[in-house]
């Protein structure tokens, strides 16, 4: 997919994505996604290419809807768009499911913001209408789940469990093309990409170690939750952790030195070897560093 003509940078949001092979989709969805991929071309051809252009397109569409004369916090129906990857000749699809993710984001707003701020951002009448539509939609789609999880201002530590350092891809700004205006280079990209079978194995192994040696730890609950989500998809899928706009917060040096995946793996190795003190030290250092990143949301 050609990158959109825009000067908008990715938001400070990380995403955990699952790309399922075309064979995983039943008809008529398979035929529709096949035609979509043929018409749009892959967002990433090969495992080492980012999907930044498509992510910018998704963001620009969302901003346009919110900036309309009558703001639209949710589309009237699913947009029918997706991220497309082609690896070793196999086409993989990650549907945006913007409407479903919008409903989930509304729930998060209600949990994380004071009520008066939620009312300012989204008036009660809009939220009520959205909840009514969601209830009806879920009755018609009881097995629906998002292919994309998002996290603003940080990467949840449990997301790192699915990956190894060998899955890391870092492309400095401008290394893989321009943003389409002839001047601004593509922003830097940092992402991890791994086969589903590897992701499930790593998460399951981490969960066993945490359950046996660190019962009650928040990371154990997170590992279980991520593991259950991954089990909902085709076993030959791809799993991607995309830092998105967080690379702007970390800066070039911070991105180059970012090794949270490896640090968490080292902590788990210490836990398995009977060194809980060493494991806790690594976990606390990693948590503290991401808390400093999260604290930037309050800076001006």
């Amino acid at each position: 997919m050609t990158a959109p003509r825009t000067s908008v940078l990715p938001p400070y949001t990380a995403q955990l994505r699952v790309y399922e092979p075309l064979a995983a989709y039943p008809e008529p969805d398979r035929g529709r996604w096949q035609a979509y991929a043929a018409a749009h071309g892959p967002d990433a051809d090969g495992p080492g290419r980012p999907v930044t252009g498509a992510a910018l397109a998704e963001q620009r569409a969302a901003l346009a809807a919110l900036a309309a004369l009558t703001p639209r916090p949710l589309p009237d129906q699913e947009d029918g768009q997706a991220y497309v990857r082609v690896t070793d000749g196999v086409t993989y699809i990650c549907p945006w499911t913007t409407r479903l993710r919008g409903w989930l984001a509304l729930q998060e707003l209600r949990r994380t913001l004071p009520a008066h701020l939620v009312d300012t951002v989204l008036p009660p009448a809009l939220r009520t209408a959205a909840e009514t539509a969601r209830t009806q939609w879920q009755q018609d789609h009881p097995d629906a789940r998002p292919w994309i999880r998002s996290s603003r201002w940080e990467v949840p530590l449990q997301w790192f469990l699915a990956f190894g350092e060998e899955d890391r891809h870092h492309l400095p700004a401008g290394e893989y093309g321009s943003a389409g205006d002839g001047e601004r280079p593509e922003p830097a990209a940092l992402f991890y990409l791994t086969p589903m079978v590897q992701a499930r194995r790593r998460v399951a192994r981490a969960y066993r170690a945490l359950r046996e040696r660190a019962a009650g730890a928040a990371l154990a609950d997170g590992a279980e939750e991520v593991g259950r989500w991954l089990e909902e998809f085709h076993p030959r899928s791809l799993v991607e952790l995309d830092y998105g706009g967080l690379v702007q917060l970390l800066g070039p040096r911070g991105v180059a030195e970012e090794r949270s995946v490896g640090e968490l793996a080292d902590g788990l190795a210490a836990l398995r070897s009977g060194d809980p003190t060493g494991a806790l030290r690594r976990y606390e250092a990693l948590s503290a560093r991401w808390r400093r990143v999260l604290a930037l949301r309050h800076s001006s």
Side-chain angles (χ1 to χ4, degrees):
M1 177 183 288
T2 303
R5 185 180 181 86
T6 178
S7 61
V8 176
L9 290 173
Y12 298 144
T13 302
Q15 289 190 343
L16 186 64
R17 308 184 186 117
V18 171
Y19 297 79
E20 292 190 286
L22 276 174
Y25 294 91
E27 293 292 2
D29 290 341
R30 183 186 306 170
R32 178 168 56 85
W33 287 128
Q34 189 169 19
Y36 178 92
H40 292 78
D43 301 311
D45 194 349
R49 307 303 294 176
V51 296
T52 305
L56 289 171
E58 183 187 14
Q59 180 195 6
R60 190 167 66 166
L63 289 174
L66 288 173
L69 186 61
T70 301
R72 295 174 58 241
L74 295 173
D76 295 330
Q77 58 186 5
E78 284 296 358
D79 45 33
Q81 299 192 70
Y83 295 113
V84 181
R85 278 190 171 276
V86 176
T87 301
D88 295 330
V90 178
T91 298
Y92 296 86
I93 301 292
C94 176
W96 288 1
T97 55
T98 305
R99 198 180 192 210
L100 175 57
R101 289 163 53 212
W103 280 321
L104 297 175
L106 286 178
Q107 289 183 317
E108 181 185 359
L109 278 179
R110 294 178 64 179
R111 290 194 303 267
T112 59
L113 291 181
H116 68 280
L117 287 181
V118 176
D119 289 344
T120 300
V121 175
L122 288 172
L126 280 178
R127 298 204 312 276
T128 299
E131 287 298 327
T132 300
R134 179 191 179 194
T135 299
Q136 180 59 52
W137 188 86
Q138 283 190 317
Q139 290 176 354
D140 298 333
H141 305 82
D143 298 324
R145 76 282 197 251
W147 282 258
I148 303 171
R149 292 191 164 201
S150 301
S151 175
R152 293 173 293 117
W153 295 95
E154 65 173 342
V155 180
L157 299 189
Q158 60 266 26
W159 288 9
F160 296 125
L161 297 172
F163 305 93
E165 277 298 313
E166 66 273 20
D167 303 321
R168 187 179 193 271
H169 300 276
H170 171 216
L171 288 87
E175 184 169 309
Y176 54 98
S178 67
D181 56 14
E183 297 179 1
R184 178 183 292 276
E186 287 280 17
L190 176 61
F191 65 98
Y192 288 75
L193 186 69
T194 196
M196 175 64 79
V197 64
Q198 286 278 49
R200 288 178 179 172
R201 183 181 298 121
R202 289 175 179 136
V203 172
R205 190 164 181 250
Y207 175 64
R208 285 195 300 269
L210 290 163
R211 184 185 58 188
E212 294 169 1
R213 302 175 185 271
L219 187 58
D221 294 337
E224 181 180 20
E225 193 264 341
V226 169
R228 289 182 182 277
W229 181 64
L230 294 178
E231 288 292 336
E232 296 183 13
F233 301 97
H234 193 279
R236 293 188 179 178
S237 301
L238 301 176
V239 185
E240 178 180 38
L241 168 57
D242 188 346
Y243 281 58
L246 294 185
V247 297
Q248 311 301 322
L249 289 179
L250 297 174
R253 180 177 177 180
V255 171
E257 297 176 350
E258 165 55 24
R259 291 293 189 276
S260 295
V261 166
E263 292 174 43
L264 191 55
D266 290 343
L268 287 168
L271 188 64
R272 293 188 190 99
S273 67
D275 181 15
T277 301
L280 182 60
R281 183 172 62 250
R282 289 176 174 86
Y283 176 77
E284 289 181 341
L286 186 58
S287 297
R289 191 165 75 249
W290 278 103
R291 282 197 298 269
R292 289 194 293 271
V293 176
L294 181 61
L296 293 175
R297 66 181 174 178
H298 300 299
S299 62
S300 58

